[in-house]
Amino acid sequence: MFQDRPDRDEIVLVGRSNVGKSTLMRELTGHSKFTTGKKPGVTRKPNHFDWNAEKFMFTDLPGFGFMSGVDRDTREAIKTDVVQYIEEHADDILAAVLVVDGKSVIDIIDRHTTEDSIPHDVEMFFFLDELDIPTVVAVNKMDKVDDRDERLNDLCDRLGLFPPWKQWRNVIAPITAKRGDISHLEDALRSHLHEQGRDDLFKFL
């Protein structure tokens, strides 16, 4: 289990390995200390970026799912740690950002959907909902997607949200973190913070 968590309210970033969570973390915080890499699984423990005076932080949680060169037991242990972290600190999590790869997310979900199993992305979305954690699905790498609206509508369908996606702007946020295009996500997070009376945190978005 992850240790040494600062005592802060937080916004957490979750998602599969190699979907751009750490790149997004750099964009949200304006700091470049977060490790990124083409090799999946670079982040193995939470990366916290906190503001002591505000008792607030962003947390980049380790990626889950398949990771090249990482054995199944290790992958499952990481996922379990992520789930336990979220469960344990749910009361302090103001919002969750579930990051997915806009280019591949539909194929991945469909490939892993069977009668007996739910894909990690969908499972995590439902898990966060069960804990009443406001969740934004940040659909990253949208610069590589041609059929933008169709892809986002398909994602809504897979998540149990009635398309079109544009009626879910507080839930579905198309972004391209690498290019700094994260305005849809920032708008959605501000909306969730406002509902919790935390307009004081707008300055971080």
Side-chain angles (χ1 to χ4, degrees):
M1 183 60 190
F2 305 132
Q3 304 294 328
D4 304 322
R5 176 190 179 274
D7 180 19
R8 308 276 186 272
D9 287 337
E10 64 183 321
I11 292 175
V12 298
L13 276 61
V14 296
R16 288 180 180 274
S17 293
N18 221 26
V19 293
K21 292 191 307 301
S22 298
T23 301
L24 177 56
M25 184 78 157
R26 287 198 314 229
E27 285 299 320
L28 285 168
T29 63
H31 288 263
S32 59
K33 71 172 187 173
F34 304 104
T35 305
T36 63
K38 292 189 175 179
K39 184 177 179 182
V42 168
T43 306
R44 294 293 180 89
K45 61 181 182 178
N47 274 325
H48 302 293
F49 189 89
D50 61 295
W51 288 267
N52 285 321
E54 308 289 343
K55 294 202 73 174
F56 169 72
M57 65 185 175
F58 285 101
T59 299
D60 176 20
L61 290 169
F64 52 74
F66 176 75
M67 291 173 247
S68 178
V70 180
D71 65 81
R72 182 185 178 89
D73 287 347
T74 301
R75 296 199 305 264
E76 286 301 316
I78 292 171
K79 183 177 171 233
T80 298
D81 284 347
V82 169
V83 167
Q84 289 180 347
Y85 179 96
I86 293 171
E87 281 184 322
E88 186 173 335
H89 304 295
D91 289 345
D92 298 317
I93 298 175
L94 300 172
V97 179
L98 174 57
V99 188
V100 300
D101 184 329
K103 190 171 176 65
S104 63
V105 63
I106 302 302
D107 291 337
I108 290 172
I109 289 175
D110 289 350
R111 191 183 325 138
H112 291 279
T113 301
T114 67
E115 289 183 6
D116 303 317
S117 67
I118 300 173
H120 289 322
D121 312 86
V122 178
E123 185 181 32
M124 182 60 71
F125 182 75
F126 290 153
F127 170 67
L128 292 164
D129 183 61
E130 285 174 9
L131 292 176
D132 291 323
I133 296 174
T135 301
V136 183
V137 181
V139 192
N140 196 20
K141 308 181 183 181
M142 287 302 290
D143 57 316
K144 298 178 180 177
V145 175
D146 296 326
D147 51 344
R148 178 188 178 96
D149 286 341
E150 182 180 346
R151 185 68 53 91
L152 295 172
N153 287 340
D154 285 345
L155 179 57
C156 282
D157 178 68
R158 303 307 192 273
L159 295 174
L161 304 172
F162 194 74
W165 75 270
K166 288 182 180 178
Q167 66 180 333
W168 299 102
R169 289 185 183 273
N170 287 353
V171 182
I172 303 293
I175 66 170
T176 302
K178 202 170 184 179
R179 295 187 176 180
D181 178 12
I182 62 170
S183 58
H184 290 294
L185 172 61
E186 291 173 325
D187 289 345
L189 288 174
R190 285 191 194 99
S191 176
H192 291 304
L193 290 174
H194 177 69
E195 288 176 4
Q196 298 172 73
R198 296 306 304 270
D199 292 20
D200 58 301
L201 299 178
F202 282 15
K203 58 192 171 190
F204 298 124
L205 294 169

